């Protein structure tokens, strides 16, 4: 435990309260034109200085005086020291004031003072007296049995700090009716902060509750007063656990397409993982989402594929359609974030029949615009689906899928399905979030084989 003591000075005058002396008999006997010194006061009297320096204030009154002096002399020293005096005239009288600071180096004993009044024609009056300066040593103090408990709490909970303030007065005794400051230093910092003050009881004991906001060290501090020195307790560490409430997540825009789908064809499963933030639901990037499948007539869900979400929380997988059943996506959760799952989406799978004789098809004149595209804005896609009829290439009405492949990626992702009109013309739109390649895909039907358009690259910008 660290203890501190300070030297204390006490200046004692010869009675309680301020010291006042009457005018000298010589001055009282003079004429009305003679200068007169009266009402000499020293405050405090006696003057007691402990720990910090104490300033004594001197004052006296003169009558018929143009100027005045105030001199003091320490005991055992022959030289007088003049103090600066300031006048305050009031009618025929003038009050003069001065001050003197005493500290631990000041001489203890009876000090002398001399107040002198001067008239304009060389006449003067004076008053002498004594006052006492007493230099004392402040009593030592210490803070014992300091404790901060419990040693480990959750952030925001309160802890109890307690201890006992003692003073060395013929042995260590409880020091009551004093103010003790509770301070705290957070882990990783160097400075103690004042948290609160608490008063000591009759036996010096103190106790209070404070809120714990961070891991660190607590201690109690006592500041010196006129009769006792300062002291600081030992430190006591409290560990604070930062428990954060887990936030919610959700999977939206989930679906498996197309529906129905032919056996053996590719099925595109897509969705978006979002996190509940203070700004609303935002995409949750860099998290693994598992794709599950449950065949019709079964109660068991099987892992089929998985994907990591992009910066907007999007995920997806292309799988082979084998049986009719339900598809869903599951996020297991992460530190501070709750897991979530999508709704189940049912897809019917058509069992393949013997391959019939079919003719060729083609998707031509594909175009994606505008170029460049704005982030999150719609892109427009046009093209033409034709089939090889007996009379040549003719427009054909059928379902055509739109696919996208991000720049630098090798995987085409299903986006949506549209229909060509009777002339084979195709038109649809979709939002662009990444730069990459787009194309139309006709998967064919019972009469015509499928075909894909050429790809068109669109650069997406954010400004």
């Amino acid at each position: 435990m660290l203890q501190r003591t300070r030297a204390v000075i006490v200046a004692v005058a010869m009675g309680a309260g301020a010291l006042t002396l009457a005018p000298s008999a010589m001055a009282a006997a003079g004429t009305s034109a003679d200068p007169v010194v009266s009402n000499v006061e020293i405050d405090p009297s006696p003057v007691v200085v402990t720990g910090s320096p104490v300033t004594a204030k001197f004052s006296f009154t003169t009558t018929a005086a143009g100027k005045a002096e105030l001199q003091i002399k320490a005991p055992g020293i022959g030289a007088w020291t003049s103090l600066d005096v300031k006048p305050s005239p009031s009618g025929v009288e003038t009050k003069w004031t001065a001050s003197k600071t005493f500290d631990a180096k000041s001489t203890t004993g009876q000090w002398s003072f001399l107040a002198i009044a001067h008239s304009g024609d060389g006449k003067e009056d004076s008053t002498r007296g004594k006052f006492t300066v007493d230099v004392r040593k402040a009593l030592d103090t210490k803070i014992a049995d300091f404790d901060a408990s419990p040693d480990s709490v959750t952030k925001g909970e309160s802890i109890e700090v307690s201890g006992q303030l003692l003073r060395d007065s013929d042995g260590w005794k409880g020091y009551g009716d004093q103010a003790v400051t509770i301070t705290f230093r957070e882990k990783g910092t160097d400075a103690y902060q004042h948290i609160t003050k608490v008063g000591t009881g009759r036996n010096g004991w103190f106790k209070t509750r404070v809120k714990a906001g961070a891991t660190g060290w607590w201690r109690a501090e006592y500041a010196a007063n006129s009769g006792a020195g300062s002291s600081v307790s030992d430190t006591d560490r409290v560990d604070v656990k930062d428990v954060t409430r887990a936030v919610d997540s959700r999977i939206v825009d989930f679906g498996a397409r197309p529906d129905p789908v032919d056996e053996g064809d590719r099925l595109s499963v897509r969705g978006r993982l979002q996190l509940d933030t203070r700004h609303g639901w935002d995409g949750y990037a860099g998290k693994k989402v598992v794709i599950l499948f449950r065949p019709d007539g079964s109660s068991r869900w099987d892992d089929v594929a998985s994907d990591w979400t992009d910066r907007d929380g999007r995920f997806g997988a292309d799988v082979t359609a084998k049986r009719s059943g339900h598809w869903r996506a599951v996020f297991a959760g992460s530190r501070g974030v709750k897991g979530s799952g999508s709704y189940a989406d049912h897809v019917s799978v058509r069992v393949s029949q013997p391959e019939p004789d079919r003719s060729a098809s083609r998707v031509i004149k594909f175009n994606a615009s505008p170029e460049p595209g704005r982030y999150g804005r719609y892109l427009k896609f046009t093209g033409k689906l034709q089939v090889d009829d007996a009379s040549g290439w003719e427009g054909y009405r059928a379902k055509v899928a739109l696919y996208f492949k991000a720049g630098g990626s090798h995987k085409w992702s299903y986006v949506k399905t549209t229909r060509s009109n009777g002339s084979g013309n195709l038109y649809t739109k979709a939002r662009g979030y990444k730069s990459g390649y787009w194309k139309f895909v006709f998967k064919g039907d019972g009469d015509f084989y499928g075909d894909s358009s050429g790809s068109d690259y669109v650069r997406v910008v954010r400004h």
Side-chain angles (χ1 to χ4, degrees):
M1 178 176 66
L2 176 63
Q3 294 184 345
R4 300 176 181 171
T5 60
R6 293 185 181 176
V8 183
I9 300 176
V10 184
V12 183
M14 295 184 293
L19 173 64
T20 304
L21 300 179
S24 67
M26 180 182 296
T31 65
S32 59
D34 293 340
V36 177
V37 178
S38 62
N39 301 325
V40 179
E41 298 182 354
I42 303 173
D43 187 22
S45 179
V47 179
V48 178
V49 182
T50 55
S52 302
V54 170
T55 299
K57 296 181 180 180
F58 299 82
S59 67
F60 61 94
T61 303
T62 63
T63 304
K67 64 178 183 178
E69 297 179 63
L70 180 64
Q71 301 177 3
I72 62 173
K73 183 174 66 172
I77 300 176
W80 289 86
T81 300
S82 295
L83 303 181
D84 292 333
V85 292
K86 298 180 180 179
S88 297
S90 178
V92 297
E93 293 185 338
T94 300
K95 184 175 183 179
W96 304 81
T97 57
S99 62
K100 166 67 176 177
T101 299
F102 298 92
D103 57 23
K105 298 180 181 180
S106 300
T107 304
T108 298
Q110 294 289 312
W111 286 57
S112 301
F113 70 84
L114 173 63
I116 307 171
H118 300 276
S119 67
D121 55 6
K123 297 179 181 180
E124 66 179 38
D125 183 32
S126 63
T127 296
R128 297 174 181 268
K130 292 183 179 292
F131 63 97
T132 301
V133 174
D134 186 8
V135 179
R136 301 176 183 174
K137 178 180 178 298
L139 296 177
D140 290 335
T141 64
K142 67 179 180 181
I143 298 175
D145 299 326
F146 179 76
D147 180 63
S149 61
D151 296 331
S152 179
V153 294
T154 300
K155 185 176 181 179
E157 292 183 347
S158 63
I159 61 172
E160 182 180 274
V161 290
S162 60
Q164 185 182 24
L165 176 63
L166 302 174
R167 178 176 58 173
D168 189 8
S169 176
D170 296 328
W172 291 103
K173 300 177 181 178
Y175 196 11
D177 197 24
Q178 300 297 310
V180 174
T181 301
I182 306 301
T183 62
F184 171 72
R185 178 172 70 85
E186 184 176 350
K187 181 181 178 182
T189 65
D190 298 325
Y192 275 88
Q193 298 179 339
H194 286 199
I195 303 302
T196 189
K197 287 184 178 292
V198 58
T200 62
R202 183 176 60 180
N203 294 322
W205 288 99
F206 60 89
K207 179 171 64 176
T208 189
R209 298 195 69 85
V210 293
K211 184 174 292 187
T215 296
W217 292 265
W218 295 85
R219 74 182 186 187
E221 300 177 8
Y222 174 66
N225 62 17
S226 60
S230 63
S231 55
V232 178
S233 74
D234 293 335
T235 60
D236 195 10
R237 172 169 167 156
V238 173
D239 292 315
V240 176
K241 298 174 292 185
D242 188 2
V243 178
T244 304
R245 181 183 67 85
V247 298
D248 293 327
S249 68
R250 69 179 184 182
I251 295 176
V252 297
D253 301 332
F254 178 77
R257 299 288 184 276
D259 179 27
V261 62
D262 291 332
E263 180 184 17
D265 282 352
R266 302 298 289 173
L267 189 66
S268 178
V269 184
R270 297 288 183 269
R272 187 178 183 188
L273 177 63
Q274 292 183 326
L275 184 67
D276 188 9
T277 72
R278 62 179 181 176
H279 303 296
W281 290 99
D282 287 340
Y284 196 18
K287 300 304 174 184
K288 184 179 181 180
V289 178
V290 177
I291 307 299
L292 304 176
F293 174 68
R294 186 185 68 189
D296 287 347
S298 173
S299 59
R300 175 180 172 179
W301 290 94
D302 294 316
D303 293 355
V304 175
S306 64
D307 192 24
W308 294 84
T309 58
D310 65 13
R311 66 181 179 183
D312 297 313
R314 292 183 176 83
F315 63 88
D318 292 329
V319 297
T320 301
K322 298 179 179 179
R323 298 178 61 184
S324 298
H326 288 85
W327 296 86
R328 65 190 296 256
V330 174
F331 168 57
S334 60
R335 184 175 181 181
V337 179
K338 298 177 183 178
S340 56
S342 72
Y343 65 89
D345 189 19
H346 186 271
V347 174
S348 297
V349 175
R350 295 176 297 209
V351 179
S352 61
Q353 301 294 328
E355 183 72 19
D357 292 334
R358 295 186 290 178
S359 299
S361 68
R362 68 181 183 182
V363 181
I364 60 175
K365 298 182 180 180
F366 177 71
N367 182 61
S369 63
E371 166 58 32
R374 295 282 297 277
Y375 178 84
R377 299 287 182 87
Y378 279 106
L379 298 175
K380 298 177 181 179
F381 307 93
T382 58
K384 191 177 186 70
L385 173 63
Q386 293 181 328
V387 295
D388 186 8
D389 202 342
S391 58
W393 293 102
E394 294 184 357
Y396 188 58
R397 185 194 303 271
K399 287 184 179 180
V400 177
L402 178 67
Y403 278 77
F404 172 73
K405 181 176 71 173
S409 174
H410 300 287
K411 182 175 71 173
W412 285 96
S413 300
Y414 168 82
V415 178
K416 63 186 301 186
T417 297
T418 186
R419 275 185 174 275
S420 58
N421 62 17
S423 300
N425 294 322
L426 290 162
Y427 171 81
T428 191
K429 61 181 182 178
R431 296 184 187 273
Y433 295 96
K434 292 182 178 180
S435 298
Y437 300 88
W438 299 86
K439 69 178 181 179
F440 276 141
V441 175
F442 171 54
K443 293 191 176 183
D445 55 21
D447 297 320
F448 300 97
Y449 291 105
D451 187 47
S452 296
S453 72
S455 62
D456 192 8
Y457 182 83
V458 176
R459 182 168 62 93
V460 172
V461 296
R462 286 183 171 268
H463 57 78

mmCIF file of all heavy atoms in Angstrom, residues 296-310:
data_model
loop_
_atom_site.group_PDB
_atom_site.id
_atom_site.type_symbol
_atom_site.label_atom_id
_atom_site.label_comp_id
_atom_site.label_asym_id
_atom_site.label_seq_id
_atom_site.Cartn_x
_atom_site.Cartn_y
_atom_site.Cartn_z
ATOM 1 N N ASP A 296 -40.063 -36.416 -52.199
ATOM 2 C CA ASP A 296 -41.468 -36.668 -51.857
ATOM 3 C C ASP A 296 -41.589 -38.041 -51.203
ATOM 4 O O ASP A 296 -40.985 -39.025 -51.649
ATOM 5 C CB ASP A 296 -42.335 -36.616 -53.116
ATOM 6 C CG ASP A 296 -42.527 -35.207 -53.630
ATOM 7 O OD1 ASP A 296 -42.198 -34.258 -52.899
ATOM 8 O OD2 ASP A 296 -42.988 -35.052 -54.788
ATOM 9 N N GLY A 297 -42.383 -38.125 -50.139
ATOM 10 C CA GLY A 297 -42.597 -39.375 -49.437
ATOM 11 C C GLY A 297 -41.567 -39.655 -48.364
ATOM 12 O O GLY A 297 -41.641 -40.682 -47.684
ATOM 13 N N SER A 298 -40.571 -38.757 -48.188
ATOM 14 C CA SER A 298 -39.526 -38.946 -47.180
ATOM 15 C C SER A 298 -39.608 -37.820 -46.151
ATOM 16 O O SER A 298 -40.109 -36.724 -46.429
ATOM 17 C CB SER A 298 -38.145 -38.961 -47.840
ATOM 18 O OG SER A 298 -37.125 -38.990 -46.861
ATOM 19 N N SER A 299 -39.093 -38.108 -44.947
ATOM 20 C CA SER A 299 -39.034 -37.085 -43.907
ATOM 21 C C SER A 299 -37.591 -36.635 -43.636
ATOM 22 O O SER A 299 -37.342 -35.844 -42.733
ATOM 23 C CB SER A 299 -39.631 -37.634 -42.596
ATOM 24 O OG SER A 299 -38.923 -38.790 -42.169
ATOM 25 N N ARG A 300 -36.658 -37.112 -44.426
ATOM 26 C CA ARG A 300 -35.240 -36.844 -44.189
ATOM 27 C C ARG A 300 -34.712 -35.779 -45.151
ATOM 28 O O ARG A 300 -34.925 -35.857 -46.358
ATOM 29 C CB ARG A 300 -34.439 -38.125 -44.364
ATOM 30 C CG ARG A 300 -32.938 -37.932 -44.262
ATOM 31 C CD ARG A 300 -32.219 -39.252 -44.444
ATOM 32 N NE ARG A 300 -30.769 -39.061 -44.525
ATOM 33 C CZ ARG A 300 -29.900 -40.037 -44.668
ATOM 34 N NH1 ARG A 300 -30.333 -41.303 -44.744
ATOM 35 N NH2 ARG A 300 -28.611 -39.781 -44.753
ATOM 36 N N TRP A 301 -34.028 -34.802 -44.587
ATOM 37 C CA TRP A 301 -33.382 -33.768 -45.377
ATOM 38 C C TRP A 301 -31.917 -34.150 -45.573
ATOM 39 O O TRP A 301 -31.221 -34.498 -44.623
ATOM 40 C CB TRP A 301 -33.446 -32.410 -44.675
ATOM 41 C CG TRP A 301 -34.820 -31.809 -44.632
ATOM 42 C CD1 TRP A 301 -35.727 -31.908 -43.641
ATOM 43 C CD2 TRP A 301 -35.410 -31.002 -45.635
ATOM 44 N NE1 TRP A 301 -36.873 -31.229 -43.949
ATOM 45 C CE2 TRP A 301 -36.705 -30.649 -45.175
ATOM 46 C CE3 TRP A 301 -35.002 -30.542 -46.887
ATOM 47 C CZ2 TRP A 301 -37.566 -29.859 -45.926
ATOM 48 C CZ3 TRP A 301 -35.857 -29.748 -47.633
ATOM 49 C CH2 TRP A 301 -37.127 -29.417 -47.160
ATOM 50 N N ASP A 302 -31.432 -34.075 -46.804
ATOM 51 C CA ASP A 302 -30.042 -34.403 -47.119
ATOM 52 C C ASP A 302 -29.319 -33.171 -47.646
ATOM 53 O O ASP A 302 -29.889 -32.362 -48.403
ATOM 54 C CB ASP A 302 -29.982 -35.507 -48.186
ATOM 55 C CG ASP A 302 -30.526 -36.826 -47.675
ATOM 56 O OD1 ASP A 302 -30.193 -37.216 -46.543
ATOM 57 O OD2 ASP A 302 -31.302 -37.470 -48.423
ATOM 58 N N ASP A 303 -28.017 -33.051 -47.252
ATOM 59 C CA ASP A 303 -27.178 -31.988 -47.800
ATOM 60 C C ASP A 303 -26.879 -32.309 -49.259
ATOM 61 O O ASP A 303 -26.394 -33.397 -49.580
ATOM 62 C CB ASP A 303 -25.859 -31.878 -47.042
ATOM 63 C CG ASP A 303 -26.069 -31.411 -45.609
ATOM 64 O OD1 ASP A 303 -27.213 -31.084 -45.268
ATOM 65 O OD2 ASP A 303 -25.078 -31.354 -44.856
ATOM 66 N N VAL A 304 -27.164 -31.355 -50.131
ATOM 67 C CA VAL A 304 -26.936 -31.568 -51.553
ATOM 68 C C VAL A 304 -25.795 -30.692 -52.066
ATOM 69 O O VAL A 304 -24.968 -31.125 -52.853
ATOM 70 C CB VAL A 304 -28.223 -31.286 -52.350
ATOM 71 C CG1 VAL A 304 -27.964 -31.383 -53.849
ATOM 72 C CG2 VAL A 304 -29.315 -32.253 -51.929
ATOM 73 N N ALA A 305 -25.727 -29.451 -51.598
ATOM 74 C CA ALA A 305 -24.705 -28.518 -52.058
ATOM 75 C C ALA A 305 -24.551 -27.420 -51.004
ATOM 76 O O ALA A 305 -25.305 -27.348 -50.019
ATOM 77 C CB ALA A 305 -25.080 -27.921 -53.415
ATOM 78 N N SER A 306 -23.559 -26.563 -51.203
ATOM 79 C CA SER A 306 -23.356 -25.415 -50.321
ATOM 80 C C SER A 306 -22.699 -24.294 -51.115
ATOM 81 O O SER A 306 -22.113 -24.531 -52.183
ATOM 82 C CB SER A 306 -22.483 -25.786 -49.119
ATOM 83 O OG SER A 306 -21.180 -26.154 -49.533
ATOM 84 N N ASP A 307 -22.796 -23.083 -50.595
ATOM 85 C CA ASP A 307 -22.192 -21.931 -51.256
ATOM 86 C C ASP A 307 -21.898 -20.869 -50.209
ATOM 87 O O ASP A 307 -22.512 -20.846 -49.130
ATOM 88 C CB ASP A 307 -23.132 -21.375 -52.337
ATOM 89 C CG ASP A 307 -22.444 -20.360 -53.244
ATOM 90 O OD1 ASP A 307 -21.200 -20.424 -53.350
ATOM 91 O OD2 ASP A 307 -23.134 -19.509 -53.826
ATOM 92 N N TRP A 308 -20.931 -19.981 -50.538
ATOM 93 C CA TRP A 308 -20.586 -18.860 -49.661
ATOM 94 C C TRP A 308 -21.226 -17.598 -50.203
ATOM 95 O O TRP A 308 -21.183 -17.337 -51.410
ATOM 96 C CB TRP A 308 -19.069 -18.682 -49.574
ATOM 97 C CG TRP A 308 -18.399 -19.842 -48.910
ATOM 98 C CD1 TRP A 308 -18.019 -21.018 -49.478
ATOM 99 C CD2 TRP A 308 -18.070 -19.935 -47.526
ATOM 100 N NE1 TRP A 308 -17.463 -21.860 -48.554
ATOM 101 C CE2 TRP A 308 -17.471 -21.216 -47.328
ATOM 102 C CE3 TRP A 308 -18.198 -19.095 -46.431
ATOM 103 C CZ2 TRP A 308 -17.027 -21.649 -46.087
ATOM 104 C CZ3 TRP A 308 -17.741 -19.507 -45.195
ATOM 105 C CH2 TRP A 308 -17.167 -20.767 -45.030
ATOM 106 N N THR A 309 -21.795 -16.823 -49.334
ATOM 107 C CA THR A 309 -22.510 -15.622 -49.766
ATOM 108 C C THR A 309 -21.549 -14.564 -50.287
ATOM 109 O O THR A 309 -20.422 -14.434 -49.803
ATOM 110 C CB THR A 309 -23.330 -15.027 -48.603
ATOM 111 O OG1 THR A 309 -22.451 -14.727 -47.501
ATOM 112 C CG2 THR A 309 -24.387 -16.000 -48.128
ATOM 113 N N ASP A 310 -22.017 -13.797 -51.296
ATOM 114 C CA ASP A 310 -21.218 -12.681 -51.792
ATOM 115 C C ASP A 310 -21.448 -11.459 -50.911
ATOM 116 O O ASP A 310 -22.096 -11.552 -49.859
ATOM 117 C CB ASP A 310 -21.541 -12.399 -53.265
ATOM 118 C CG ASP A 310 -22.984 -11.925 -53.486
ATOM 119 O OD1 ASP A 310 -23.662 -11.571 -52.501
ATOM 120 O OD2 ASP A 310 -23.434 -11.918 -54.652
#
